[in-house]
């Protein structure tokens, strides 16, 4: 079974692929749908948001959800729904850029070590081992307190953090691909290493790359929320789900529970959806990765 | 070097390290190929036969310089390529191509058949313009008996025999002189084996190809070869032209191999002597002394344990066996 699906070429259209996913992995399909809605909201936040992200209205402080304010208002009268949308925008930016950076780092490290092996591989693998023994959060807190918070910093830190860890997975599948006779055939016909990597190794580790990227988006969004919650993420007044939770959310939780519920639920639903979508992608694209 | 030889291999030795423990400390080595010499004439099919693990593939890969060698000399098309760098080898590789045993693993599942067949052309910058490139791919597909419209499909849509045809078309793309076929039919159904074998022979006639043909199935070898060398534990024990080898095998190992081939005729099959080889193949980690075959040879003599036999000409045969000295 796994052999057959590994042999299959990429599905001809993403639409057909996702229709198939909805049929065979309904939960993952729905996860993908939520992921798409989240992306849409993030990209078009400026258009969709009924109020400005920092537009205050002192007449309407801590109002419960209503038709005017779908998710209520916060302690200085800002519209929570609009802030959730702008938070989504930031999550999308950080999620995609950091996960993108992480994936690029994973590909470079993983393909090089996996393909060439030998001493470089030994050295880099020991470094990755050492890197992975540090608890993520501790590492994040230390680095942020040194270089300071900010969108760029967060993207670079999270990109490196997950990129190095993820290189293991790419390395593993690169080794599997390298062992295939078609890479040998390309070498023996006189192809240069770059040709072999580009036309034979990369296309065949691509399913793993796609799955890795997707799951990383979820992980990065969660990590950013954690950092922002601790005040180490994106500095105010830019709304992020993490800082919304820790700011108004925590202080006014009993007076206005929606202040905590809105960002909390948004985060939970989005990350959960991305994860089940990632699982479904993995099952459909690369069954070997199960359990990683 | 005689001009009629496309390939000469002299005293080839390939060792693999035996490693132990986490640090991969080398504790010894196995001689997978231990002093192999042969030459292949232009336009002929030279076969290497022998049991699994006797070093056939390793020899083939060494010839293509895909395997580092310990000692020996490889002369291809009048050029000593033994010490060629990877860059120098690129030009040589155009003239030597390989067909693999596993028609499933040797085709990239994410490449269309046309792109696979045309890959050698692109690799060597010989694709020309679009029309030339696609024309050449069509021509190659026709040559090996595939339909033109199959170029847009992926390998998994093809049967084993068709896939092997794709591999052969790819190997032909650059008009090579030598094609190394490492068990090209042994993964195929018996009915398909003959088809692919015949295709190889037919191509040889039409294109003047030379084959280094590796197999353990002697009936295929008998069908396709001009000359045959029998390998045992990294050495060639007997080499002769096909008819000589099959009609009057000399080395006890060759005799045993031939006796193991089932006969099509049930009466002959019933008479076929069962087992001439005693016991299991010895480990390459500690090969037997003297003639390495003596542990399994029914005719072994005391001298066989002490001295390795020298290779001598015996009639039409090149032979390494004390029985004939
Ligand atoms: N890369 C390698 N590292 C270590 N040992 C190897 C390697 N390749 C081959 N060997 C060993 O060298 C010996 C010869 O192997 P080789 O693949 O040449 O045999 P073969 O005659 O082609 O066998 P088969 O019919 O199974 O293909 C075997 O004992 C094998 O285990
Ligand atoms: Mg072999």
């Amino acid at each position: 079974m796994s052999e057959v699906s590994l042999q299959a070429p990429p599905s001809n259209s993403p639409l057909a692929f996702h229709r198939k996913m909805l049929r065979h992995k309904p939960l993952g399909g729905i996860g993908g749908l939520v992921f798409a809605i989240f992306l849409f909201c993030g990209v078009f936040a400026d258009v969709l948001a009924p109020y400005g992200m920092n537009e205050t209205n002192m007449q309407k402080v801590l109002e419960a959800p209503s038709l005017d304010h779908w998710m209520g208002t916060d302690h200085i009268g800002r519209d929570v729904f609009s802030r959730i949308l702008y938070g989504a925008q930031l999550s999308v930016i950080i999620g995609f850029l950091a996960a993108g950076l992480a994936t690029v780092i994973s590909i470079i490290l993983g393909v090089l070590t996996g393909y060439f092996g030998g001493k470089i591989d030994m050295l880099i693998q020991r470094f990755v081992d050492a890197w992975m023994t540090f608890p993520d959060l501790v590492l994040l807190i230390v680095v942020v307190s040194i270089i300071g918070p900010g969108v760029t910093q967060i993207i670079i830190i999270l990109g490196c953090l997950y990129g190095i860890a993820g290189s293991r997975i790419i390395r593993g599948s690169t080794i599997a691909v390298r062992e295939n006779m078609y890479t040998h055939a390309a070498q023996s016909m006189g192809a240069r290493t770059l040709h072999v990597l580009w036309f034979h190794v990369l296309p065949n580790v691509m399913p793993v790359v796609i799955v890795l990227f997707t799951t990383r988006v979820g992980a990065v969004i969660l990590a950013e929320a954690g950092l922002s919650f601790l005040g180490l993420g994106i500095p105010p007044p830019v709304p992020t789900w993490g800082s919304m939770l820790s700011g108004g959310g925590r202080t006014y939780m009993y007076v206005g529970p929606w202040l905590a519920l809105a960002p909390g639920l948004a985060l939970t639903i989005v990350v959960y959806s991305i994860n089940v979508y990632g699982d479904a992608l993995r099952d459909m694209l690369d069954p070997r990765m199960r359990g990683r | 070097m005689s001009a009629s030889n496309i390939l000469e291999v002299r005293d080839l030795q390939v060792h693999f390290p035996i490693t132990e423990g986490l640090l991969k400390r080398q504790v010894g080595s196995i001689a997978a190929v231990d002093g192999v010499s042969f030459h292949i004439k232009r336009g002929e099919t030279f076969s290497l036969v022998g049991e699994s693990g006797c070093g056939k593939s390793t020899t083939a890969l060494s010839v293509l310089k895909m395997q580092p060698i310990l000692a020996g000399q490889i002369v291809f098309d009048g050029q000593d390529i033994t010490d060629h760098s990877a860059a120098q080898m690129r030009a040589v590789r155009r003239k030597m191509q390989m067909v693999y045993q596993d028609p499933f693993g040797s085709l990239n599942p994410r490449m269309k058949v046309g792109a696979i067949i045309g890959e050698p052309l692109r690799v060597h910058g010989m694709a020309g313009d679009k029309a030339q490139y696609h024309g050449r791919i069509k021509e190659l597909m026709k040559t090996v008996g595939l339909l033109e419209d199959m170029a847009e499909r992926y390998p998994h849509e093809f049967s084993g025999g068709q896939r092997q045809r794709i591999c052969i078309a790819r190997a032909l793309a650059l008009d090579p002189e030598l094609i190394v076929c490492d068990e090209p039919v042994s993964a195929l159904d018996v009915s398909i084996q003959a088809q692919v074998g015949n295709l190889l022979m037919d191509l040889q006639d039409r294109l003047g190809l030379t084959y280094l043909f590796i197999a353990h199935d002697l009936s295929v070898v008998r069908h396709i070869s001009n000359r045959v060398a029998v390998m045992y534990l990294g050495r060639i024990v007997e080499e002769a032209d096909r008819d000589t080898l099959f009609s009057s095998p000399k080395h006890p190992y060759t005799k045993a191999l031939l006796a193991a081939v089932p006969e099509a005729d049930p009466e002959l099959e019933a008479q076929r002597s069962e087992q001439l080889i005693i016991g299991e193949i010895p480990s390459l980690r500690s090969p037997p002394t003297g003639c390495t075959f003596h542990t399994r040879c029914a005719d072994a003599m005391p001298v066989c344990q002490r001295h390795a036999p020298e290779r001598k000409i015996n009639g039409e045969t090149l032979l390494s066996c004390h029985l004939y000295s």
Side-chain angles (χ1 to χ4, degrees):
Chain A
M1 171 60 206
S2 75
E3 268 314 300
V4 172
S5 46
L6 282 178
Q7 286 293 333
S11 198
N12 29 18
S13 89
L15 200 71
F17 178 83
H18 285 97
R19 222 178 268 142
K20 196 171 135 203
M21 182 187 280
L22 263 175
R23 226 177 316 120
H24 294 287
K25 308 255 168 204
L27 191 62
I30 293 167
L33 220 58
V34 175
F35 188 25
I37 293 170
F38 158 71
L39 278 184
F40 182 81
C41 292
V43 171
F44 296 105
D46 303 281
V47 189
L48 296 173
Y51 300 87
M53 67 168 99
N54 287 309
E55 194 181 324
T56 55
N57 185 344
M58 284 309 178
Q59 258 79 61
K60 293 184 163 185
V61 168
L62 285 174
E63 270 191 17
S66 64
L67 277 179
D68 275 351
H69 299 281
W70 292 2
M71 296 181 185
T73 62
D74 69 1
H75 55 291
I76 49 174
R78 295 177 295 194
D79 178 49
V80 174
F81 178 59
S82 301
R83 288 176 65 76
I84 289 286
L85 288 179
Y86 283 107
Q89 187 166 51
L90 201 75
S91 292
V92 168
I93 292 171
I94 291 181
F96 273 73
L97 292 184
L101 178 64
T103 309
V104 169
I105 293 174
S106 296
I107 291 176
I108 293 173
L109 286 182
V111 167
L112 289 186
T113 55
Y115 187 78
F116 292 106
K119 288 228 163 60
I120 308 169
D121 181 34
M122 267 270 281
L123 248 124
I124 295 182
Q125 286 315 308
R126 294 299 80 78
F127 166 72
V128 174
D129 281 341
W131 180 270
M132 300 215 306
T133 55
F134 291 116
D136 291 5
L137 202 60
V138 175
L139 206 65
L140 280 172
I141 291 170
V142 171
V143 179
V144 172
S145 35
I146 295 169
I147 65 173
V151 178
T152 319
Q153 284 94 316
I154 291 284
I155 289 172
I156 293 173
I157 298 165
L158 291 178
C160 292
L161 182 74
Y162 287 108
I164 292 170
S167 71
R168 271 297 162 76
I169 293 169
I170 305 288
R171 175 178 176 268
S173 40
T174 301
I175 290 174
V177 170
R178 187 193 61 187
E179 297 303 319
N180 274 308
M181 271 330 210
Y182 53 78
T183 48
H184 191 280
Q187 291 160 351
S188 80
M189 76 176 63
R192 294 196 166 88
T193 305
L194 220 56
H195 174 102
V196 179
L197 290 179
W198 187 256
F199 290 102
H200 296 284
V201 177
L202 262 190
N204 284 288
V205 298
M206 220 46 208
V208 182
V209 169
I210 293 169
V211 174
L212 191 65
F213 173 79
T214 312
T215 50
R216 284 314 184 231
V217 171
V220 164
I221 289 174
L222 204 58
E224 181 273 319
L227 281 178
S228 293
F229 182 83
L230 296 173
L232 293 166
I234 316 300
V238 185
T240 79
W241 293 348
S243 58
M244 286 169 78
L245 268 173
S246 67
R250 209 167 35 156
T251 323
Y252 300 97
M253 198 157 62
Y254 298 104
V255 201
W258 54 89
L259 284 187
L261 276 177
L265 279 178
L267 198 59
T268 311
I269 292 171
V270 165
V271 174
Y272 179 75
S273 300
I274 295 176
N275 284 347
V276 291
Y277 176 59
D279 283 352
L281 270 183
R282 183 199 55 206
D283 287 350
M284 288 178 64
L285 290 175
D286 192 73
R288 286 172 305 179
M289 266 180 78
R290 202 178 296 246
R292 293 219 197 165
Chain B
M1 164 123 196
S2 141
S4 64
N5 288 346
I6 182 91
L7 181 77
E8 290 189 7
V9 175
R10 295 198 193 100
D11 210 23
L12 179 71
Q13 290 189 42
V14 182
H15 287 198
F16 290 111
I18 304 171
T19 54
E20 240 173 37
L22 273 177
L23 291 173
K24 298 270 160 69
R25 201 162 44 91
Q26 188 176 342
V27 294
S29 62
I30 58 167
V33 177
D34 193 13
V36 161
S37 303
F38 61 92
H39 58 89
I40 305 181
K41 293 199 195 77
R42 261 173 225 281
E44 76 170 350
T45 299
F46 181 85
S47 291
L48 276 180
V49 301
E51 283 166 296
S52 180
C54 69
K56 305 182 295 290
S57 298
T58 308
T59 305
L61 293 180
S62 311
V63 165
L64 295 170
K65 299 255 344 225
M66 294 295 291
Q67 168 68 55
I69 67 174
L70 180 71
Q73 190 185 27
I74 301 159
V75 180
F76 175 75
D77 207 9
Q79 246 187 81
D80 185 339
I81 60 167
T82 318
D83 298 315
H84 267 29
S85 65
Q88 285 175 305
M89 273 312 290
R90 260 176 67 81
V92 181
R93 293 204 188 287
R94 271 172 45 188
K95 297 194 251 169
M96 39 162 72
Q97 297 286 313
M98 183 151 181
V99 174
Y100 297 84
Q101 170 173 18
D102 172 16
F104 288 86
S106 54
L107 300 174
N108 185 340
R110 280 166 204 281
M111 251 194 203
K112 287 180 181 167
V113 167
I116 290 175
I117 294 174
E119 189 180 16
L121 299 169
R122 300 196 307 279
V123 160
H124 287 278
M126 294 171 64
D129 63 30
K130 238 182 166 170
Q132 285 172 327
Y133 175 68
H134 290 290
R136 178 76 177 129
I137 291 172
K138 276 183 189 162
E139 182 185 76
L140 286 163
M141 294 184 74
K142 214 175 119 200
T143 308
V144 299
L146 293 168
L147 302 175
E148 280 175 16
D149 60 356
M150 293 173 171
E152 290 302 306
R153 298 215 236 139
Y154 286 96
H156 73 110
E157 301 173 54
F158 292 85
S159 69
Q162 284 175 317
R163 283 165 154 261
Q164 207 56 303
R165 284 171 198 267
I166 298 168
C167 293
I168 294 169
R170 171 174 66 183
L172 292 176
L174 294 166
D175 276 325
E177 315 241 348
L178 174 72
I179 298 186
V180 174
C181 306
D182 190 353
E183 312 219 15
V185 299
S186 54
L188 307 176
D189 286 351
V190 178
S191 56
I192 311 294
Q193 285 190 356
Q195 280 179 21
V196 174
N198 287 338
L199 173 67
L200 286 171
M201 290 174 79
D202 176 44
L203 291 172
Q204 183 168 47
D205 285 346
R206 276 154 61 194
L207 307 171
L209 298 167
T210 309
Y211 294 132
L212 169 55
F213 192 88
I214 291 171
H216 59 247
D217 179 349
L218 287 170
S219 52
V220 176
V221 169
R222 181 171 205 166
H223 187 55
I224 202 170
S225 317
N226 299 103
R227 269 184 317 130
V228 183
V230 180
M231 278 187 84
Y232 185 75
L233 289 186
R235 296 178 191 174
I236 293 181
V237 296
E238 177 166 4
E239 179 192 323
D241 64 70
R242 178 207 33 202
D243 293 334
T244 310
L245 190 109
F246 280 92
S247 61
S248 58
K250 297 205 165 62
H251 198 284
Y253 180 60
T254 313
K255 287 183 185 165
L257 278 186
L258 289 184
V261 179
E263 292 283 349
D265 183 339
E267 265 179 47
L268 285 176
E269 173 66 19
Q271 297 167 8
R272 190 161 63 90
S273 43
E274 258 312 299
Q275 253 210 330
L276 286 176
I277 315 181
I278 318 155
E280 286 294 307
I281 193 162
S283 161
L284 275 174
R285 279 172 165 242
S286 50
T289 56
C291 171
T292 48
F293 187 60
H294 82 255
T295 52
R296 300 168 78 193
C297 181
D299 306 320
M301 308 177 292
V303 62
C304 300
Q305 292 179 32
R306 291 195 305 272
H307 300 293
E310 276 183 41
R311 188 140 102 131
K312 291 199 182 115
I313 297 176
N314 181 300
E316 304 281 299
T317 307
L318 264 175
L319 193 66
S320 310
C321 181
H322 287 301
L323 287 174
Y324 296 85
S325 43

